[in-house]
Amino acid sequence: MKTIKVEYLARVEGEGALRIRFRGNAVRDVELRIFEPPRFFEAFLRGRHCAEAPDMTARICGICPVAYQMSACAAMEDGLALSIPNHIRDLRRLIYCGEWIESHALHMFMLHAPDFLGFDGALEMARTHRDRLKAGLLIKSAGNELIRAVGGREVHPINVRLGGFYSLPPASELLALVPNLASARDRALEALEWMTSFDFPGFERDYEFVALRGSNSYPFMGRRLISNKGLDIVANQYDETFEERQVPYSNALQSAIRARGHYVCGPLSRFNLNFDLLSPTAAEAARRARVVPPCRNSFRSILVRCIETIEAFEQAIEIIERYDGAGPAYVEADVRASTGYGLSEAPRGTLYHRYRIDDAGLITDATIIPPTSQNQASMEDDLREIAPRMLALDHRAATRLAEHVVRNHDPCISCATHFLNLTMERE
Amino acid sequence: MSARQKQRRARLAVFKFASCDGCQLSLLDCENELLTLSESIDIAYFLEATRKAIRGPYDLALIEGSITTPHDAERIRRVRSESRFLVTIGACATSGGIQALRNFGNVREFASIVYARPEYIATLATSTAIGDHVAVDFELRGCPINKRQLLEVISAFIARRSPTIPAHSVCVECKRRGTVCVMVAGGTPCLGPITHAGCGAICPSFARGCYGCYGPDEAPNVASLMTAWTQLNRPPDAIARVLRTFNANAPAFRNALTHENDQS
Ligand code: SF4
Ligand code: SF4
């Protein structure tokens, strides 16, 4: 029996390991193991005040803190039936654009591109592709600037609160960002052209794609969740639609659709289900790059991330140009016992929060389902499918291919509140 | 002396323990300095940035995250033994982080709330600072750290000088940047008077009270701040709540609350 073991997965956020076992040429099992020690967020949130959830859950993931803040606010506001004025919705979308840009740029240029080009990492890539990497860093810093302007700082922004923001950024400050955003968008357009020249392995899978469906623009926050296989629900039906399964070889939980099984969320899903909602510039760039739905090859997700980056720039510029800095910074919540459901699109996929709170506003129950635990089962399916190709490779090349397959889904292992230090449980 | 020896660049390693990755991300967030930095020092171990992993010894190890598992308690000793200087980055590594809230509860109970099979979880009952396990050469504060301060710490240790990182309170930073005091002028409760500087006083400049993400400053007077909060008509548990967050296990914050409980 041949065993391929990858001790550390470099360049995934957090740390994980993978084991694939073969019998002869047949794949016997695939285990994606996560070393991330449990941090017990859902437990210590109990007894905390509902207003504390955005800042506390942000600390689940330093790569997508805005997503945690947004899903937490959405869930609490849903429970409290708080209606959020348009200017606050716009600003939320704006800071979320910044996070998509920042996170996508990090993943495309520093983590994923080196896989395609055969480098160990971005710093090695810099030796021969310095200008490309510089463009990537410029895109990334434009995203960070946006988060800073709205949120105060790029990691764990301080300005987000239940009901809105602590203070609204002045219109002039945001307007001043536009020239830089526009030129960073142009860098992203060039990068898309460059990335289409990468060598994409033939690897099409019949995924079930799950994502928010936007109402009139490409979705960041929302309530309606759909798939290409007939799923069409609103946030409060999440628990009856999805389940978290315990797999036989570990006690890590993996999400599945009760009725059907594994699915994916993230850029491919959003793109395939919301292509018609892309802004003209992003849609045109996608067509030129010959990336159109259905895109079922997860290796091509880097192209979709780039298209989404262009989209985020377009939306950000459009929001800023409409923004006048007027209106209240937040709406006050009337705290009472309630259950709320919140969904938003983190850069790597749908992030679900559910909270029950009591009359004093204290949390009695919290559930958080991050994108990485939703995608974990599909990552393993991908690995199972590609594993026979790994047999023909030496260990180093096989390792690289496996890492590349995992990275296609941009896993953020710190996000996986359900992941743990696995114990083997075998027959 | 061989050319190679002459040119040997300082070796930097970045290790992660229980954390959100936000502090090490701050290093990648140094978009303008990253390439220059990587030319002057050898980034020998940084799994989030490269699969290339050069074995120790390292000149400088940056540690993110707290110790929460028996395996990690071992691993930090190994890292210490192969690092000339060891610097903790962020609240997790410096005080145990938000996951240290388990220290005030029952970890078994916590595990059974989150996991269907809690008996399989290899975890310690507490989340503790790196300094509780090994000697630490410098502690950089913040949840997350400030990337300017991170660059200062890296260059200082590489140059073998001590880093210029002030230990006064956030209040001083507000005065310096000319932010009107949110507590005196706006009646907004603020932890600024007892919180370690470093962020540049971001929250007050957004009309928000500081919530202490940099942890206690060098001489925090928690009791007098508690009185000030009470005068602003905050319920007695309001300040306790804020102290029990990202730096709950920092001695000055932890003891202030234990003391309070003893009295009541
Ligand atoms: S200190 Fe805060 S930002 Fe840094 S790793 Fe810990 S939780 Fe993340
Ligand atoms: S003002 Fe306080 S809470 Fe806000 S960023 Fe600074 S230290 Fe953290």
Side-chain angles (χ1 to χ4, degrees):
Chain A
M1 189 156 82
K2 185 182 162 81
T3 303
I4 294 183
K5 247 177 124 175
V6 181
E7 276 303 339
Y8 282 89
L9 289 169
R11 288 182 288 123
V12 295
E13 308 293 352
E15 288 168 8
L18 163 72
R19 184 160 79 162
I20 303 175
R21 297 206 288 181
F22 298 89
R23 180 157 281 161
N25 284 343
V27 181
R28 225 182 93 186
D29 54 30
V30 171
E31 295 175 8
L32 185 57
R33 308 177 65 199
I34 309 301
F35 295 150
E36 196 65 27
R39 292 168 75 216
F40 304 116
F41 275 83
E42 289 152 315
F44 63 62
L45 280 166
R46 291 190 180 182
R48 304 301 302 213
H49 194 264
C50 57
E52 294 181 295
D55 284 326
M56 292 188 95
T57 59
R59 269 68 181 186
I60 292 174
C61 177
I63 298 100
C64 44
V66 172
Y68 281 86
Q69 295 182 333
M70 293 303 143
S71 282
C73 287
M76 295 301 181
E77 290 157 7
D78 172 52
L80 299 171
L82 196 60
S83 91
I84 301 299
N86 282 335
H87 71 286
I88 293 177
R89 287 173 189 275
D90 279 352
L91 269 188
R92 283 182 168 172
R93 196 144 48 90
L94 185 62
I95 189 172
Y96 223 145
C97 284
E99 180 158 287
W100 276 26
I101 294 166
E102 184 277 325
S103 172
H104 278 358
L106 173 74
H107 190 261
M108 292 187 289
F109 291 90
M110 309 193 74
L111 310 175
H112 212 187
D115 280 335
F116 286 98
L117 301 171
F119 293 102
D120 280 339
L123 300 174
E124 290 77 13
M125 189 174 99
R127 288 189 202 122
T128 46
H129 294 72
R130 202 181 166 85
D131 288 344
R132 297 292 182 195
L133 189 61
K134 273 186 140 167
L137 290 170
L138 189 137
I139 294 169
K140 184 169 174 299
S141 81
N144 273 337
E145 244 171 52
L146 209 46
I147 305 178
R148 256 199 322 274
V150 182
R153 64 178 171 196
E154 48 274 73
V155 178
H156 306 326
I158 55 88
N159 194 25
V160 173
R161 54 162 289 167
L162 198 58
F165 294 89
Y166 286 89
S167 62
L168 299 182
S172 59
E173 230 170 74
L174 295 185
L175 258 184
L177 300 177
V178 170
N180 203 11
L181 291 171
S183 80
R185 174 204 52 209
D186 295 345
R187 297 290 88 72
L189 284 161
E190 290 160 15
L192 180 61
E193 242 169 77
W194 171 56
M195 288 169 185
T196 51
S197 73
F198 292 175
D199 192 15
F200 296 98
F203 187 73
E204 301 251 308
R205 286 198 50 225
D206 183 24
Y207 298 104
E208 176 154 2
F209 295 109
V210 173
L212 285 178
R213 170 67 190 167
S215 38
N216 39 38
S217 59
Y218 201 81
F220 286 84
M221 302 179 71
R223 298 193 50 76
R224 184 174 166 218
L225 198 64
I226 63 167
S227 87
N228 57 329
K229 298 198 175 174
L231 181 104
D232 193 342
I233 61 163
V234 288
N236 58 13
Q237 293 170 294
Y238 193 99
D239 300 310
E240 67 202 47
T241 311
F242 296 89
E243 65 183 331
E244 294 190 287
R245 292 178 178 169
Q246 198 151 18
V247 290
Y249 58 82
S250 84
N251 48 351
L253 301 174
Q254 302 185 345
S255 285
I257 299 175
R258 285 182 200 276
R260 282 181 297 279
H262 303 167
Y263 66 98
V264 288
C265 60
L268 280 187
S269 297
R270 287 191 294 256
F271 180 80
N272 286 330
L273 299 169
N274 293 283
F275 182 79
D276 58 318
L277 294 174
L278 282 173
S279 65
T281 313
E284 163 65 19
R287 280 193 205 93
R288 237 187 358 254
R290 295 192 206 291
V291 188
V292 287
C295 176
R296 295 198 178 91
N297 183 342
S298 54
F299 285 92
R300 290 167 69 84
S301 64
I302 190 171
L303 303 176
V304 174
R305 264 178 217 103
C306 199
I307 293 160
E308 287 198 336
T309 305
I310 297 162
E311 174 67 20
F313 278 121
E314 287 291 295
Q315 287 203 24
I317 293 169
E318 188 261 339
I319 291 168
I320 292 176
E321 284 174 345
R322 259 189 302 113
Y323 177 75
D324 60 8
Y330 61 90
V331 281
E332 195 71 64
D334 226 345
V335 170
R336 60 186 150 78
S338 55
T339 304
Y341 308 83
L343 286 170
S344 77
E345 288 289 343
R348 36 193 65 66
T350 316
L351 170 60
Y352 173 68
H353 286 217
R354 186 197 64 212
Y355 299 98
R356 234 187 5 243
I357 63 173
D358 65 15
D359 271 323
L362 301 185
I363 297 169
T364 56
D365 182 66
T367 297
I368 295 166
I369 305 188
T372 300
S373 59
Q374 300 177 59
N375 285 340
Q376 205 205 342
S378 288
M379 282 183 236
E380 288 187 346
D381 293 344
D382 283 7
L383 288 162
R384 197 168 290 119
E385 181 112 354
I386 212 145
R389 300 187 203 178
M390 289 161 65
L391 280 176
L393 305 171
D394 63 27
H395 188 77
R396 189 178 146 85
T399 304
R400 289 182 173 233
L401 181 58
E403 287 190 355
H404 194 167
V405 167
V406 171
R407 202 135 38 232
N408 287 339
H409 296 282
D410 188 7
C412 161
I413 286 164
S414 296
C415 279
T417 44
H418 289 308
F419 285 164
L420 29 136
N421 218 336
L422 303 180
T423 314
M424 292 292 291
E425 196 186 328
R426 292 219 53 84
E427 73 273 34
Chain B
M1 192 154 76
S2 76
R4 211 174 138 247
Q5 252 173 333
K6 229 188 297 174
Q7 287 175 1
R8 178 165 128 48
R9 299 179 302 172
R11 273 193 185 163
L12 176 78
V14 183
F15 294 94
K16 171 190 159 69
F17 291 81
S19 68
C20 82
D21 294 34
C23 285
Q24 49 174 322
L25 183 66
S26 303
L27 187 52
L28 298 179
D29 276 347
C30 298
E31 288 101 2
N32 298 322
E33 299 82 5
L34 191 63
L35 292 179
T36 332
L37 186 73
S38 75
E39 278 151 14
S40 57
I41 61 172
D42 201 355
I43 300 184
Y45 189 91
F46 186 9
L47 282 185
E48 289 207 3
T50 177
R51 87 155 60 72
K52 184 191 80 175
I54 298 172
R55 279 176 199 280
Y58 307 107
D59 296 288
L60 174 61
L62 301 176
I63 311 295
E64 174 192 89
S66 65
I67 302 301
T68 61
T69 66
H71 172 255
D72 278 355
E74 272 311 304
R75 187 159 63 100
I76 190 63
R77 285 201 188 89
R78 218 169 51 233
V79 169
R80 174 72 265 191
S81 71
E82 52 189 13
S83 311
R84 178 190 295 273
F85 296 116
L86 185 148
V87 171
T88 60
I89 55 169
C92 291
T94 301
S95 74
I98 192 170
Q99 56 275 14
L101 289 174
R102 76 175 69 180
N103 302 9
F104 308 95
N106 175 329
V107 77
R108 285 289 130 210
E109 208 177 294
F110 273 30
S112 65
I113 290 171
V114 182
Y115 301 101
R117 315 274 301 261
E119 64 275 20
Y120 289 112
I121 298 174
T123 187
L124 297 170
T126 54
S127 165
T128 42
I130 299 302
D132 292 340
H133 298 262
V134 295
V136 170
D137 296 295
F138 190 81
E139 295 181 324
L140 187 60
R141 309 297 198 84
C143 179
I145 53 169
N146 173 313
K147 64 184 185 186
R148 299 275 137 229
Q149 292 201 323
L150 176 63
L151 288 173
E152 160 62 12
V153 165
I154 295 175
S155 25
F157 275 93
I158 299 302
R160 305 276 176 97
R161 60 173 173 84
S162 53
T164 313
I165 306 283
H168 54 235
S169 71
V170 168
C171 271
V172 179
E173 297 192 297
C174 266
K175 308 278 171 307
R176 194 161 290 153
R177 69 185 277 173
T179 304
V180 176
C181 179
V182 292
M183 194 145 72
V184 172
T188 305
C190 181
L191 284 192
I194 60 167
T195 298
H196 197 287
C199 70
I202 306 174
C203 294
S205 76
F206 279 79
R208 174 180 192 177
C210 168
Y211 58 95
C213 82
Y214 273 58
D217 70 355
E218 53 193 346
N221 189 342
V222 185
S224 88
L225 188 65
M226 281 181 167
T227 314
W229 276 44
T230 323
Q231 282 158 3
L232 291 171
N233 290 327
R234 295 292 136 171
D237 73 328
I239 197 165
R241 239 169 226 300
V242 195
L243 294 179
R244 280 277 154 89
T245 54
F246 316 104
N247 291 280
N249 198 44
F253 285 1
R254 189 183 60 210
N255 297 340
L257 294 179
T258 327
H259 186 58
E260 180 81 344
N261 290 343
D262 289 349
Q263 284 180 332
S264 59

